[in-house]
Amino acid sequence: MDEVEVVVAHSERATLRVGDVFLKVDADRARIEAEVEAMASAPVPTPEVLWHKPPALAIAAVPGTALGRLGEPVTASPAAWAAAGAAVRKLHDAPLPPRLGRAGRSVEELRAELDGECEWLVTNGVLPAELVARNREVAEAALRPWTPVFTHGDLQIAHVFLDGDEVTGIIDWSEAGQGDGLFDLAILTLGHERHLGDLVAGYGGEVDLDVIRGWWSMRSLLAIHWLVEHGFDPFAPGCEVDVLRARM
């Protein structure tokens, strides 16, 4: 009999694995609907939807192995990173989905959230004020006008699967929708900055690296409070706090 593996579980959502089936339960039913819609329209490999009845979704495992994980060394080849970049470009060139995604928040909304999180980090002694101030300055580069594209919205390195140098699946589409394409590139390379060149080579075109760095700082500053409250460790080697320290 297959064992039940808890992949992730917190107050907002939980994912369980039984054999080659993943069962996702999300407190926000709209996220489940957005995920199903995005996987149906994305022009890249996605998991097979076995059934869905909000708030639950059952999907099949994708073949291959994850490109890597935050805080762990990455052994994927430059060609694998380039293949990931090419897949992201294909997604960004696709027709726009109907919804705004996580990468589609307005500059005003982001700036207000960022200011609030920075104040919390300093007031509660979570991070030194100078570290927060420096990264708040770097993050400003991401707060600019952008042309919306079809974004994944949570393109963590662990969400891209490959077999050799071929992308076999991209998972976890609950934050997908219209948004800033450079957000996807930044999240994929968060904590793995030395692979950005290979990713961009596969992605093609002009990429503003200052904006990528801005998103690295923004994503880390915004995430730490949530991670701490939900039992994750942003201070682990190679994770969010180290990303912030790299900007000093």
Side-chain angles (χ1 to χ4, degrees):
M1 178 177 178
D2 289 320
E3 294 183 350
V4 176
E5 174 191 356
V6 179
V7 179
V8 63
H10 49 75
S11 61
E12 294 180 5
R13 69 188 80 170
T15 301
L16 307 177
R17 178 171 186 167
V18 184
D20 289 332
V21 175
F22 287 87
L23 179 64
K24 306 181 72 171
V25 181
D26 198 316
D28 184 347
R29 294 190 174 204
R31 278 198 297 248
I32 290 287
E33 294 293 347
E35 183 158 9
V36 172
E37 289 176 8
M39 288 190 293
S41 57
V44 295
T46 61
E48 177 190 359
V49 174
L50 302 176
W51 57 264
H52 74 101
K53 185 177 181 181
L57 168 66
I59 59 176
V62 299
T65 56
L67 182 59
R69 295 191 179 278
L70 183 63
E72 298 180 6
V74 171
T75 59
S77 69
W81 279 94
V88 178
R89 167 63 77 179
K90 190 173 183 179
L91 176 66
H92 289 174
D93 286 344
L96 289 175
R99 305 176 189 243
L100 280 178
R102 183 169 181 79
R105 288 170 293 171
S106 70
V107 169
E108 294 74 20
E109 181 183 357
L110 283 168
R111 183 172 280 119
E113 184 180 358
L114 185 58
D115 288 343
E117 291 300 321
C118 287
E119 181 180 358
W120 183 88
L121 291 168
V122 174
T123 301
N124 290 277
V126 178
L127 293 177
E130 59 272 18
L131 180 63
V132 173
R134 169 56 182 157
N135 279 276
R136 175 63 182 83
E137 178 184 358
V138 174
E140 192 67 28
L143 299 173
R144 86 287 175 219
W146 42 266
T147 301
V149 298
F150 190 156
T151 56
H152 179 281
D154 190 24
L155 199 60
Q156 301 176 42
I157 188 173
H159 292 168
V160 179
F161 282 71
L162 298 98
D163 183 0
D165 298 333
E166 178 184 355
V167 175
T168 55
I170 299 177
I171 66 172
D172 286 357
W173 291 82
S174 60
E175 307 289 355
Q178 297 182 32
D180 178 6
L182 295 192
F183 179 87
D184 277 349
L185 297 182
I187 299 306
L188 187 53
T189 52
L190 185 78
H192 297 285
E193 302 175 16
R194 68 187 184 90
H195 299 288
L196 178 59
D198 295 322
L199 182 76
V200 170
Y203 184 77
E206 294 291 330
V207 173
D208 190 330
L209 300 185
D210 286 337
V211 173
I212 297 290
R213 297 183 187 101
W215 275 122
W216 286 338
S217 291
M218 175 106 61
R219 164 64 172 74
S220 300
L221 289 169
L222 294 181
I224 290 173
H225 189 174
W226 186 94
L227 291 168
V228 169
E229 288 193 339
H230 288 80
F232 299 98
D233 185 10
F235 289 86
C239 293
E240 285 80 5
V241 175
D242 276 354
V243 171
L244 298 177
R245 289 170 177 155
R247 306 276 72 80
M248 299 298 286

